[in-house]
Amino acid sequence: MQRRVFLQSVATAAVLGSLRFPGLALAAGSDPEDKLIEVWTGEHGGYPAFDQVNPTSIKAALEKGMELSRAEIAEIAGTAETPTFANTIAALEDSGRALDRAQRFFDIFTSTMNDQAMQDLQTEMSPILSAFGDDIIQNARLFARIKAVHDGRATAGLSPEQVRLVENYYQDFTRQGAALDDADQATLKDLNQKLASLYTRFSQNELADEESYRLTIETEADLEGLPESQREAAAAAAEAHGAKGKWVFTNTRSSMEPFLTYSARRDLREKGWRMWIMRGDNGTATDNKAVISEILQLRTQRARLLGFETHAHWTVENNMAKTPQAAMDLMMKLWGPALRRAQKEIADMQAIADQAGDGITIEAWDHRFYSEKVRKATYDLDQNEVKSYLQLDKVREGMFWAAERLYGLRFAKLDGLPVYHEDVSVYEVTRDGKRAGLWYFDPYARAGKSSGAWMNEYRTQERFQADVTPIVSNNANFVKSGSGPVLISWDDAVTMFHEFGHALHGLNSNVTYPGVAGTSVKRDFVEFPSQINEHWFPTPELLNRFALHVDTGRPIPAELLAKVHKSLKFNQGFGTVEFLASAIYDMRIHLAATPDGTIDPGAFEKSCMAEIGLPREIVMRHRPTQFGHIFSGDGYSAGYYVYLWADALTADAWELFEQRGVWDPATAKAFHDDILSVGNAVAPDEAFRRFRGRDVDTEALMRLRGFA
């Protein structure tokens, strides 16, 4: 399961909901901020002016964008005309465009170029943006007009997409407190501003611990077990950190997981593991435990104010699952089989260690190291050997090839467009010779960049006022090689295909209104297109073309590929258990939080993991103090389960592809037409039924994981 971030600021995502504002023309001005809020122009359908961006210009653009948006909202709310779709809902879709563009820059830079100046701006502006969003939601005259259109939608002669848009606006506003009285709205606004500040503090604390702690190795003998590619990357990282001649492993997943997999030095594995899992939990000024406790309390107060028992009930009510219990039922259905599989995997590791005479009891910092030994013994498969066939650039080319074969999209690299960092490359996307959008790729780790991998949506597709093509990006944290191509692990390659699936969701959007375009779908549906895209990576047709040896250029041998395929369900117990532990914790702590009490997130972690029987050899994939999915914004809070829910959809849909042929053009077209292109213009359960011909069969998930 991979982290993913949509391009909406964590301070305003929940507040603004579907209020996506993709493009208002402004009169040309001389102020620097005008470059950030005016329509993106130029060749290739227009593009963001990254060469004009700095913290000062972003702040000014946000302030001017809010000023313009206030005037637009006042005009919509204040008109004496009878509320209609055109003068209310469509007008809202066409408002706030300047602010949206400013926020795009704000969000891009706080996630990818978050130096001290940007962090200061983030701290200052997050509560202001939150308050601005509340001002829109709490505009009584505006909400009255939205409600009037909603109440009359059945007899207004609207298209299905327009009806869906009306319903989304009404639901977004009511869920955010538009119907509350003045006193309660004032309380809600205060809660949202406090939460916005806490989310910023949490993410900045996490970033600080990722950048402040690192594992430095001074003698080459201590690199025992590490492949040459890792050694070169660590040497390059050391030089970048002013420690030339040494080897540095940074406190990021892309650096630590490979180290834990291959380092033969158990003491160093434990040191690196503890550094990694203790981010935000070191008792320093960047400790996140008190931040989490306050977030939980404020979220519960907000949920009660909005008429929900808990924050979990408020969150899940807006997802496909509808209730926390439904989400828990799916998680617990998988927990037992996954736990039994994980325990068997641990026993296999212990047997390997005993046979080798290592004289140890497997601990959490040993898991990846001995798991790799079990893989080699069971399947005669060396991941380092596989890695030599997985060049970052070739995997990217494989993504392009699959996208063209499935959906007719072609990618061509562009030079000369402004970017926010030299590592970023830009590609024009076309279909049948016509522009379909732009794709930005930002693959490497650096200071000020959030860890993990994610997709951003810079500009949303629409055909409302003009035919606007989407602009999306994929972002990762691969470690640059000291020399030669960057080699990535099998899991890293799967992650690339996952995040590219989100990009394809945005690029294939084909709707009229931006509010229902692209990835603007239910949270437990949005991971469906990304997770199914992972399944094309292991296909022989793709690997034979793009899994090419770094030295010889020869394709991966059939014998090695057969071993890879046999091992694909290997370690499913560990992967499922570490994810479910995080997802169960997320749901349970949000169900347990009270409006006037405090919860110690660390103590709750211990009790929750003991209750469900998490083996000591496995920790949560994201421990609480670094669980940015749920504590750096409302995005995945009480919703980390959505990856599993989407995986149930994925497993069932992929069985259809397997039955018809995974590259079957008719099935790919149906997936494009019924799933990728419709955004939120069609309810997700209905979209799935159109594609699959029935509701989801969750037993397919058990079969996919090898638990049935």
Side-chain angles (χ1 to χ4, degrees):
M1 311 299 169
Q2 281 78 40
R3 174 177 177 263
R4 169 181 175 274
V5 177
F6 288 114
L7 192 60
Q8 285 183 302
S9 73
V10 294
T12 59
V15 177
L16 295 182
S18 67
L19 296 177
R20 297 174 180 270
F21 312 128
L24 168 70
L26 297 174
S30 58
D31 294 331
E33 64 269 20
D34 286 347
K35 289 292 184 182
L36 277 63
I37 62 177
E38 63 190 16
V39 175
W40 295 347
T41 58
E43 54 187 344
H44 312 296
Y47 48 82
F50 287 120
D51 53 344
Q52 305 292 324
V53 179
N54 59 61
T56 301
S57 64
I58 291 177
K59 179 181 178 180
L62 288 171
E63 291 173 338
K64 180 172 277 191
M66 284 188 284
E67 178 185 349
L68 292 168
S69 185
R70 285 191 187 96
E72 293 163 345
I73 294 297
E75 183 175 353
I76 296 168
T79 180
E81 297 176 0
T82 300
T84 65
F85 178 87
N87 66 24
T88 301
I89 305 301
L92 279 171
E93 283 288 273
D94 202 33
S95 70
R97 294 180 183 267
L99 174 59
D100 179 71
R101 280 187 291 275
Q103 284 191 260
R104 305 281 168 161
F105 288 112
F106 178 71
D107 294 338
I108 292 166
F109 274 72
T110 54
S111 62
T112 64
M113 301 289 288
N114 206 12
D115 59 13
Q116 189 58 55
M118 278 306 306
Q119 290 182 37
D120 291 344
L121 179 63
Q122 186 182 26
T123 299
E124 177 186 1
M125 294 304 298
S126 291
I128 294 173
L129 290 167
S130 175
F132 174 80
D134 281 330
D135 286 342
I136 295 176
I137 295 293
Q138 295 177 7
N139 187 314
R141 298 176 70 182
L142 178 64
F143 178 60
R145 296 184 66 83
I146 293 171
K147 185 177 185 302
V149 178
H150 178 266
D151 291 348
R153 67 193 185 283
T155 58
L158 303 179
S159 70
E161 182 178 334
Q162 290 172 333
V163 171
R164 181 76 177 162
L165 186 63
V166 171
E167 292 173 344
N168 288 346
Y169 265 101
Y170 182 73
Q171 184 183 50
D172 287 342
F173 271 68
T174 54
R175 280 178 51 79
Q176 300 298 336
L180 296 177
D181 62 30
D182 291 347
D184 284 345
Q185 285 190 345
T187 300
L188 180 63
K189 188 173 184 178
D190 180 60
L191 291 172
N192 283 334
Q193 289 182 70
K194 288 178 179 177
L195 282 166
S197 295
L198 289 168
Y199 298 154
T200 296
R201 195 189 315 169
F202 181 97
S203 61
Q204 291 184 358
N205 286 346
E206 181 184 5
L207 179 63
D209 275 13
E210 288 176 351
E211 294 186 347
S212 300
Y213 295 88
R214 61 185 70 97
L215 179 64
T216 301
I217 293 178
E218 300 189 3
T219 60
E220 191 167 4
D222 291 339
L223 300 174
E224 182 185 357
L226 298 176
E228 188 60 33
S229 60
Q230 274 185 259
R231 297 181 183 211
E232 290 181 359
E239 185 170 358
H241 286 89
K244 187 175 182 179
K246 300 178 182 180
W247 296 266
V248 164
F249 296 88
T250 58
N251 203 15
T252 62
R253 187 176 299 277
S254 57
S255 184
M256 285 313 306
E257 281 195 345
F259 180 83
L260 295 172
T261 301
Y262 296 110
S263 173
R265 285 288 303 274
R266 191 176 190 234
D267 58 332
L268 293 177
R269 290 203 308 272
E270 180 179 0
K271 184 177 180 180
W273 177 83
R274 292 191 182 281
M275 177 183 76
W276 168 245
I277 67 144
M278 294 302 290
R279 289 168 297 143
D281 192 13
N282 290 297
T284 64
T286 57
D287 195 289
N288 268 329
K289 291 191 291 294
V291 178
I292 292 171
S293 183
E294 191 172 356
I295 286 173
L296 292 168
Q297 188 176 38
L298 294 177
R299 279 177 172 166
T300 309
Q301 291 175 18
R302 183 178 63 183
R304 296 284 178 88
L305 191 65
L306 293 168
F308 293 86
E309 182 181 349
T310 69
H311 177 75
H313 288 83
W314 177 78
T315 293
V316 184
E317 184 257 357
N318 194 41
N319 288 342
M320 293 181 72
K322 299 300 182 186
T323 68
Q325 189 59 53
M328 285 298 302
D329 287 346
L330 181 60
M331 287 190 281
M332 298 314 296
K333 178 179 182 178
L334 207 60
W335 177 254
L339 183 60
R340 290 189 291 273
R341 175 66 63 84
Q343 290 167 335
K344 171 64 167 58
E345 292 167 357
I346 293 167
D348 291 343
M349 295 176 207
Q350 189 64 58
I352 287 281
D354 293 344
Q355 290 168 11
D358 292 342
I360 68 159
T361 299
I362 297 292
E363 299 289 351
W365 50 88
D366 299 314
H367 201 292
R368 288 175 173 83
F369 181 76
Y370 282 96
S371 174
E372 191 57 31
K373 288 183 176 296
V374 172
R375 188 199 307 267
K376 199 170 190 320
T378 305
Y379 301 101
D380 190 25
L381 180 64
D382 184 347
Q383 285 291 82
N384 270 324
E385 183 182 3
V386 176
K387 192 173 183 178
S388 65
Y389 290 91
L390 299 178
Q391 303 173 54
L392 174 60
D393 289 347
K394 293 298 181 183
V395 173
R396 184 199 64 226
E397 291 174 14
M399 298 189 320
F400 293 168
W401 179 82
E404 180 177 4
R405 184 165 179 181
L406 292 166
Y407 312 119
L409 296 176
R410 305 191 70 177
F411 292 75
K413 192 172 186 298
L414 297 174
D415 294 318
L417 267 63
V419 292
Y420 53 81
H421 191 276
E422 61 183 7
D423 288 342
V424 180
S425 53
V426 189
Y427 295 77
E428 183 162 47
V429 188
T430 58
R431 180 189 281 115
D432 297 328
K434 297 179 180 178
R435 185 180 61 254
L438 294 176
W439 182 72
Y440 286 65
F441 189 40
D442 183 4
Y444 301 119
R446 61 176 171 272
K449 187 177 183 181
S450 298
S451 64
W454 66 96
M455 170 264 197
N456 275 351
E457 196 166 58
Y458 292 178
R459 184 175 70 193
T460 306
Q461 177 269 333
E462 66 167 293
R463 294 193 308 273
F464 178 28
Q465 300 291 15
D467 191 356
V468 177
T469 53
I471 302 177
V472 301
S473 76
N474 281 139
N475 310 268
N477 273 273
F478 297 116
V479 179
K480 286 185 177 180
S481 174
S483 61
V486 174
L487 300 179
I488 65 176
S489 70
W490 181 273
D491 287 346
D492 284 338
V494 171
T495 297
M496 284 184 65
F497 269 73
H498 175 100
E499 297 304 332
F500 192 59
H502 288 305
L504 291 174
H505 198 181
L507 288 168
N508 280 293
S509 178
N510 185 24
V511 300
T512 300
Y513 298 98
V516 292
T519 54
S520 307
V521 297
K522 300 289 186 184
R523 186 66 75 180
D524 45 11
F525 192 75
V526 78
E527 296 297 334
F528 173 31
S530 60
Q531 290 181 185
I532 202 167
N533 201 59
E534 297 174 16
H535 288 270
W536 279 285
F537 169 65
T539 60
E541 295 91 340
L542 188 142
L543 292 178
N544 287 334
R545 287 173 172 82
F546 300 100
L548 306 179
H549 194 277
V550 63
D551 294 325
T552 67
R554 294 176 180 173
I556 188 168
E559 180 183 0
L560 180 58
L561 186 55
K563 293 177 183 178
V564 169
H565 278 279
K566 287 180 181 178
S567 72
L568 287 182
K569 288 186 172 64
F570 174 73
N571 222 26
Q572 277 291 321
F574 169 74
T576 305
V577 163
E578 70 160 2
F579 162 75
L580 281 175
S582 295
I584 291 168
Y585 174 92
D586 168 39
M587 189 63 72
R588 286 195 173 184
I589 200 167
H590 281 102
L591 288 169
T594 62
D596 51 6
T598 59
I599 291 183
D600 181 332
F604 193 91
E605 177 188 7
K606 290 179 182 178
S607 63
C608 181
M609 296 304 104
E611 185 177 342
I612 63 177
L614 179 69
R616 77 171 193 286
E617 299 89 350
I618 304 176
V619 296
M620 295 167 57
R621 180 168 178 80
H622 305 284
R623 289 198 57 243
T625 54
Q626 64 247 200
F627 205 167
H629 282 79
I630 68 172
F631 292 126
S632 64
D634 285 328
Y636 283 80
S637 59
Y640 193 59
Y641 79 90
V642 301
Y643 290 97
L644 185 65
W645 195 276
D647 220 12
L649 303 176
T650 299
D652 195 15
W654 186 247
E655 285 190 348
L656 181 64
F657 273 101
E658 289 183 317
Q659 291 165 13
R660 297 179 176 177
V662 299
W663 300 99
D664 177 55
T667 309
K669 184 178 187 305
F671 190 76
H672 170 274
D673 294 348
D674 296 333
I675 303 296
L676 294 181
S677 69
V678 300
N680 200 19
V682 177
D685 50 352
E686 175 60 26
F688 186 85
R689 278 193 294 271
R690 290 181 184 180
F691 173 71
R692 197 64 175 94
R694 55 164 171 73
D695 289 331
V696 63
D697 173 14
T698 58
E699 289 303 313
L701 177 61
M702 305 295 284
R703 294 189 288 271
L704 177 68
R705 298 290 178 104
F707 299 152

